[in-house]
Amino acid sequence: MTRRISTRNASVQVWQAYLNNRTKRHRDRRFLVQGVRPITQALANDWPLETLLYRLGTPELSGWARELLETSDVPQVGLVPELMAELGEKAGAAPEVVAVAESRTIELDSFEPGDPGDAPVVVVFDRPNSPGNLGTLIRSADAFGADAVIVTGHGADQYDPQAVRASTGSLFAMPVLRAAGPAQIVEFRDRQIDRGIPTRIVGTDEGGSHAVFDHDFTEATILVVGNETTGMSAGWAQACDDIVDIPMGGTASSLGAPSAGAVALYEISRQRRTFAR
């Protein structure tokens, strides 16, 4: 089913609201996917798409865009370049395709990663300020083999277009859950232990008791990355079984939260590859 739109009608206004209105995204359970790789990853991971919006007029669509539209059974809507440029949030040329996707909710109470004998890794990002930072950490979690990302508190929305773009499609391959705070994560850890999966909560903070590379990450791990501005709260410090720091040189006072998370995730991956060999 294909239709064409050349004016800013009610549908276009709804799609535009998904760009910066979190309440609208949450209420409609819809969000926008921009970019070749994120759209490709959404399709590859069977993410539910409601509509494919494509650019009308010239220049001619690329081979990727034409194949996507010809082979997909997702309803399609053609928009004039001016409207596509607004939905794509790109300076200059309008994007070829923007997807309208359905959001997914995974409840932490029923989330059970791994089986007895496994050692799953779950990353917790506490109250992220920036959607871009959240998307970057989701990308790192995917790259280093984590099993899920949990966002705690009223942090950035993983379905914000900035987060979706920064994840470069990893959002569609990585379970992303929400939780209120440390108490829910402690309960999740205890449920994992009861399932026969020994699990520890490990925080990253400059006041850690030992270096990240001196910690044994071969068991199941819940890795906590603190807020970008305030770091790890007292509540999180109390909830953690261990707190590690990342030794640094130079004049930098600290790493940004996504960078700290990536370093710790790399160390977890490195240890497990080493011991596996």
Side-chain angles (χ1 to χ4, degrees), residues 44-276:
N45 287 280
D46 295 321
W47 194 276
L49 300 181
E50 181 182 72
T51 311
L52 291 176
L53 311 175
Y54 66 93
R55 189 194 66 225
L56 297 171
T58 56
E60 183 177 329
L61 295 177
S62 68
W64 168 81
R66 292 197 305 272
E67 181 179 4
L68 170 65
L69 297 173
E70 290 168 1
T71 59
S72 174
D73 57 2
V74 178
Q76 301 168 13
V77 177
L79 299 179
V80 295
E82 294 79 8
L83 297 178
M84 283 297 293
E86 293 178 11
L87 295 178
E89 298 183 299
K90 290 183 66 175
E96 295 184 305
V97 180
V98 172
V100 183
E102 300 177 20
S103 59
R104 286 177 170 174
T105 301
I106 305 172
E107 298 296 337
L108 183 60
D109 289 346
S110 58
F111 183 56
E112 296 183 341
D115 295 306
D118 294 337
V121 176
V122 174
V123 184
V124 174
F125 197 170
D126 180 38
R127 298 163 295 141
N129 298 331
S130 162
N133 283 350
L134 174 57
T136 300
L137 188 58
I138 292 171
R139 179 181 181 180
S140 295
D142 184 23
F144 292 118
D147 294 85
V149 173
I150 302 174
V151 183
T152 57
H154 189 67
D157 177 18
Q158 69 265 31
Y159 296 124
D160 186 295
Q162 294 181 51
V164 179
R165 289 196 302 269
S167 81
T168 64
S170 291
L171 173 69
F172 305 109
M174 171 71 50
V176 180
L177 302 85
R178 311 288 302 202
Q184 288 71 34
I185 303 304
V186 170
E187 291 173 1
F188 168 61
R189 176 203 61 191
D190 293 344
R191 289 197 303 272
Q192 289 289 90
I193 293 173
D194 291 342
R195 293 179 61 222
I197 304 176
T199 304
R200 297 184 70 81
I201 301 175
V202 181
T204 55
D205 188 78
E206 59 185 16
S209 61
H210 54 286
V212 63
F213 47 72
D214 288 330
H215 186 81
D216 182 0
F217 282 110
T218 56
E219 288 189 334
T221 300
I222 299 171
L223 178 71
V224 179
V225 178
N227 174 266
E228 302 104 308
T229 304
T230 60
M232 182 168 292
S233 68
W236 273 113
Q238 185 175 3
C240 288
D241 298 301
D242 304 284
I243 300 178
V244 300
D245 64 16
I246 299 172
M248 297 185 303
T251 60
S253 60
S254 64
L255 289 174
S259 298
V263 169
L265 283 163
Y266 173 79
E267 177 60 20
I268 294 171
S269 175
R270 185 198 66 80
Q271 288 188 19
R272 294 179 178 204
R273 289 198 307 271
T274 300
F275 285 109

